[in-house]
Amino acid sequence: MDDRLRLSRRIRFRLLAWLRRSRSGRIEFIRRFGYKEIIKATQGFRKVIYTNYHGSAYRAKFKGGEVALVKELTALDLGRERFDEEVQLLGRLRHRHLLTLRGFCIGRKRLLVFDNIENGSLKEHLNDPLKTPLNWKTRIQIAIGVAAALEYLLIFSSNDAQIYDVSVNSCNIMLDENFTPKISDIRVNRHPKNHPKATHDSCSEGSCADEECGNVIFQLGVLMLELITGQSSDRQGKDLIEWVQDSCIANSIDKMIDPDLGNNYSSRELQKVLAVARLCIKTRYEPPSFSITHVYRYLQKKIDVAT
């Protein structure tokens, strides 16, 4: 059994490594958008989805009716050459659960245009009372989909001099017309020499002692808590973790579950997802002894939901 698992992991890694190499050429199909076109689509940059220290992301509706995400990059050292490099490197990424880069714009702002976000952000669906609550199956599919994308992203970066940084929370997980989750906050690390390099062993098969891997696992754990509780997290997850670990709540899972779910969820699945989430958030204080691949495979195997 162990031999088969090791063989399966090696084959999976080699397939992903081959995919990384096959996507490493120059991207020719990424479109250059006009600045006026972006202004019109974003209604003058008024439709803000989220903002962080890298810039802001806006909801945009283009002439054909497609709803997309426009991200403004505000790094002080992002000159034209580095911006072109950002476009090329982000344009390589292809995964069902990553937003695809459609184009860019160079005007008064450095802008990237990403694919369909028809249903907005996950946070909107957890917090907005006017939106139809997400059912349990959809929430589990979101957790598994995000884990799959993180595995892909870390392995994709494992042999690349430019490592991709990623942030995961309900604000920057976008949902397409089918509620398929898409990670939107991916960046090119500007200091790869000083960045802990993810390896085959740390990201794919063995433990994940790498600082970046551990941080990503922690963020995934917080995201799972958001999906379970229906509470979006501020302060990098600290508030939600404190709330979940409160003694009166920890003694009763029923008090933790999002009221919008009612009784329409599997208690068995809930306990498994909650157990994984608690393991993940422990990586905030100690190096994890498991990897993103372990989390993804466990969720796939133990939760009876097709992705």
Side-chain angles (χ1 to χ4, degrees):
M1 182 64 178
D2 289 342
D3 290 340
R4 288 200 299 270
L5 277 173
R6 281 194 290 269
L7 178 61
S8 173
R9 288 168 179 166
R10 282 197 295 270
I11 291 172
R12 181 174 180 80
F13 171 76
R14 287 171 183 171
L15 284 172
L16 285 169
W18 171 82
L19 178 60
R20 182 189 64 79
R21 291 192 299 270
S22 71
R23 300 292 187 183
S24 62
R26 184 174 178 81
I27 307 299
E28 301 291 350
F29 56 84
I30 294 177
R31 177 187 164 193
R32 180 169 181 170
F33 287 79
Y35 190 65
K36 290 182 179 180
E37 183 180 8
I38 298 291
I39 291 176
K40 184 175 181 181
T42 60
Q43 297 182 25
F45 300 105
R46 287 197 295 268
K47 299 287 186 178
V48 180
I49 299 175
Y50 64 84
T51 300
N52 57 32
Y53 59 90
H54 291 282
S56 298
Y58 306 92
R59 181 181 177 90
K61 188 169 185 178
F62 289 94
K63 191 174 181 180
E66 184 177 0
V67 179
L69 180 140
V70 171
K71 186 186 294 184
E72 176 187 356
L73 303 181
T74 57
L76 296 176
D77 63 345
L78 196 63
R80 178 59 188 270
E81 184 177 343
R82 286 199 171 183
F83 179 75
D84 289 345
E85 180 185 43
E86 187 105 3
V87 170
Q88 293 294 321
L89 291 170
L90 291 177
R92 294 180 183 183
L93 300 175
R94 288 292 180 275
H95 191 277
R96 182 175 180 233
H97 298 293
L98 297 178
L99 273 187
T100 300
L101 184 66
R102 288 182 50 207
F104 66 96
C105 175
I106 299 178
R108 297 178 185 175
K109 302 174 185 282
R110 300 277 197 248
L111 302 166
L112 299 174
V113 181
F114 291 88
D115 233 343
N116 177 13
I117 57 164
E118 187 66 37
N119 277 310
S121 72
L122 173 58
K123 182 175 182 177
E124 293 173 42
H125 289 271
L126 293 177
N127 292 170
D128 190 342
L130 298 179
K131 290 189 177 289
T132 303
L134 299 172
N135 62 37
W136 179 249
K137 179 180 178 181
T138 299
R139 295 181 196 218
I140 294 301
Q141 287 175 327
I142 289 171
I144 296 175
V146 170
L150 291 174
E151 180 199 40
Y152 164 87
L153 193 60
L154 289 171
I155 294 177
F156 195 104
S157 298
S158 64
N159 294 316
D160 209 321
Q162 294 283 352
I163 293 181
Y164 296 95
D165 288 334
V166 59
S167 175
V168 173
N169 58 57
S170 60
C171 292
N172 57 42
I173 301 297
M174 300 296 130
L175 304 173
D176 69 9
E177 70 276 10
N178 298 313
F179 290 92
T180 302
K182 310 275 187 177
I183 297 176
S184 70
D185 196 5
I186 304 167
R187 305 168 303 279
V188 176
N189 178 40
R190 291 293 156 201
H191 307 286
K193 291 182 180 179
N194 299 324
H195 194 288
K197 190 175 180 65
T199 66
H200 173 193
D201 291 332
S202 69
C203 288
S204 174
E205 292 187 5
S207 65
C208 194
D210 178 279
E211 181 181 346
E212 179 64 17
C213 291
N215 184 46
V216 168
I217 289 174
F218 169 75
Q219 291 180 43
L220 179 60
V222 173
L223 179 71
M224 285 190 276
L225 291 181
E226 291 182 289
L227 290 166
I228 291 169
T229 63
Q231 304 292 320
S232 60
S233 176
D234 298 316
R235 296 191 293 139
Q236 298 181 325
K238 184 178 179 181
D239 54 336
L240 183 58
I241 292 170
E242 290 173 350
W243 186 76
V244 168
Q245 291 177 334
D246 183 278
S247 58
C248 67
I249 294 176
N251 293 329
S252 175
I253 292 179
D254 292 335
K255 293 179 181 179
M256 189 182 299
I257 195 76
D258 186 352
D260 285 339
L261 286 169
N263 295 317
N264 299 315
Y265 63 92
S266 164
S267 295
R268 180 186 64 84
E269 291 177 353
L270 171 62
Q271 291 179 23
K272 291 182 184 296
V273 175
L274 182 58
V276 174
R278 283 174 168 162
L279 280 176
C280 289
I281 63 176
K282 285 182 180 179
T283 64
R284 183 174 187 172
Y285 308 104
E286 57 189 55
S289 58
F290 55 93
S291 68
I292 284 290
T293 294
H294 290 134
V295 176
Y296 172 50
R297 288 298 190 185
Y298 179 86
L299 292 173
Q300 264 198 328
K301 184 178 180 180
K302 299 295 183 180
I303 309 297
D304 187 22
V305 179
T307 56

